[in-house]
Amino acid sequence: MRLFFSADLVDATRYKQSRTIWRPEILNFYRDFDFILKEEHAAFAETHNPALTAPTFWKSNGDELLYVCEMTGPNEAHSLMYVWLAALERYRATIVEADEHLDVKSTAWIGLFPAPNAEIFFRRGNFGPLDDIARDPLIVQSEIRDEWYAYPFGATITREFVGPSIDTGFRLTAWATPSRMILSVDLAFLLMDTPAGGLGHLRLNLSGCARLKGVACDQPYPRLWAPVGGRVTEEPRTEPAITDQRTIRAFCEALIEQNYSSITPLFLENGGADAFDWVPPYILKRIMGHWQDEVRHREAVTGVVLLGD
């Protein structure tokens, strides 16, 4: 299971089109936010959990920075949210409160791999065998994947994440505001249904529902958010927020049950006997099906039969 974070500058398009000098502000965001995030993680690791994996920069999408972190236990969701919110609030507190400085908004969601989401790999530039373009693309993809995992910090291969959870996360970013960090329904449920590791549970809010195109079969999706401090901003009026955590948890659970095949199954390797250590059979079948299809395809194309144990 991977936890994804988005940090996006607010109203950056208007900012860049209304002045001739805008580049320093964007560069400061790229530099300062990443630096603050690394410092907040280091401080948290030193005082709470030295083994906590830091969020890793995934990619930029214009004025948006995307990070990802692989989780191995239920407490890590709380710890990573704590680190991320601390970085957000510190960044917002350091920018001067004037019109020429842009605020930031954020979203978080989770995704399970290798199903129902997937990793895609491709080479940068002209690196790799020259005959890759003429060879079978599925076999080339599996070879590039093996290369990346053998040397994940190399500079010649790019890894992308795709799938229904990723699409949902990007849809949710439209609801984020500087003082309201939006969470996916499965992440919210995970946070409310796992131990907080002594940090105290994150207090979530529910401000109505709306449809997100293509998400959860176009059913109304809950607008779940966590407050972000660091700077006072005026929020647009929305319907009153529900703050009772039991009500929010029950709402999330009901939506997950109704959309079990499209919302991320909550599986963590070290979830514990009474937590999220059960893998849905349909997910296991899908993974085995993908693997068997890849093996059959390779054997049909290359004529080389892989021997089992």
Side-chain angles (χ1 to χ4, degrees), residues 2-8 29-38 41 53-61 63-70 80 83-84 87-88 104 106-111 159 161 166 170 181:
R2 292 186 171 100
L3 176 55
F4 294 86
F5 292 109
S6 162
D8 192 9
F29 169 59
Y30 271 62
R31 178 197 63 189
D32 296 346
F33 185 83
D34 190 71
F35 177 78
I36 289 173
L37 180 61
K38 285 183 171 65
H41 171 265
T53 303
T56 303
F57 178 74
W58 168 20
K59 66 177 181 179
S60 62
N61 184 20
D63 307 305
E64 179 182 21
L65 302 180
L66 295 159
Y67 289 78
V68 61
C69 190
E70 186 169 334
L80 290 166
V83 169
W84 184 264
L88 276 178
V104 66
S106 183
T107 309
W109 67 93
I110 54 177
R159 177 178 63 167
F161 302 106
I166 310 302
F170 285 130
M181 179 181 180

Side-chain angles (χ1 to χ4, degrees), residues 3-280:
L3 176 55
F4 294 86
F5 292 109
S6 162
D8 192 9
L9 286 177
V10 178
D11 210 13
T13 300
R14 178 201 59 78
Y15 180 89
K16 286 180 285 189
Q17 294 189 4
S18 63
R19 61 197 66 211
T20 56
I21 300 176
W22 51 264
R23 190 164 173 260
E25 181 74 2
I26 308 302
L27 293 176
N28 288 342
F29 169 59
Y30 271 62
R31 178 197 63 189
D32 296 346
F33 185 83
D34 190 71
F35 177 78
I36 289 173
L37 180 61
K38 285 183 171 65
E39 282 205 333
E40 290 298 331
H41 171 265
F44 182 90
E46 183 178 356
T47 57
H48 292 88
N49 182 9
L52 180 67
T53 303
T56 303
F57 178 74
W58 168 20
K59 66 177 181 179
S60 62
N61 184 20
D63 307 305
E64 179 182 21
L65 302 180
L66 295 159
Y67 289 78
V68 61
C69 190
E70 186 169 334
M71 295 190 295
T72 59
N75 291 350
E76 290 189 0
H78 294 276
S79 299
L80 290 166
M81 287 294 296
Y82 183 96
V83 169
W84 184 264
L85 282 167
L88 276 178
E89 293 177 355
R90 181 175 158 192
Y91 177 82
R92 297 188 70 222
T94 57
I95 57 178
V96 179
E97 294 197 25
D99 290 339
E100 65 268 19
H101 290 277
L102 297 172
D103 211 336
V104 66
K105 62 181 183 178
S106 183
T107 309
W109 67 93
I110 54 177
L112 194 66
F113 294 81
N117 304 286
E119 297 171 308
I120 302 293
F121 301 87
F122 58 92
R123 300 188 190 279
R124 298 177 181 174
N126 296 319
F127 297 101
L130 295 177
D131 63 343
D132 269 2
I133 195 169
R135 297 169 59 217
D136 186 275
L138 294 180
I139 293 180
V140 172
Q141 177 66 197
S142 66
E143 292 174 353
I144 299 175
R145 178 191 63 208
D146 292 343
E147 287 181 40
W148 191 92
Y149 273 99
Y151 187 54
F153 301 106
T156 63
I157 298 175
T158 295
R159 177 178 63 167
E160 269 291 347
F161 302 106
V162 296
S165 302
I166 310 302
D167 294 341
T168 297
F170 285 130
R171 295 280 191 208
L172 289 171
T173 59
W175 289 350
T177 67
S179 62
R180 294 184 177 185
M181 179 181 180
I182 298 295
L183 281 69
S184 64
V185 66
D186 39 14
L187 173 57
F189 184 78
L190 178 66
L191 289 167
M192 289 186 289
D193 217 44
T194 54
L199 297 174
H201 278 82
L202 187 66
R203 302 295 296 179
L204 300 180
N205 299 264
L206 171 60
S207 294
C209 300
R211 286 180 171 81
L212 292 171
K213 185 178 179 181
V215 175
C217 298
D218 290 322
Q219 295 183 56
Y221 195 94
R223 189 179 281 108
L224 295 155
W225 55 275
V228 182
R231 187 178 181 185
V232 178
T233 55
E234 183 176 348
E235 288 293 325
R237 290 186 177 183
T238 58
E239 50 188 290
I242 297 173
T243 58
D244 181 72
Q245 302 301 287
R246 290 185 179 181
T247 301
I248 296 175
R249 182 193 178 281
F251 193 95
C252 292
E253 186 174 26
L255 186 66
I256 291 172
E257 288 180 352
Q258 293 167 11
N259 300 273
Y260 196 65
S261 62
S262 61
I263 293 179
T264 295
L266 297 174
F267 168 70
L268 286 162
E269 183 179 3
N270 300 316
D274 299 322
F276 303 109
D277 59 351
W278 177 74
V279 187

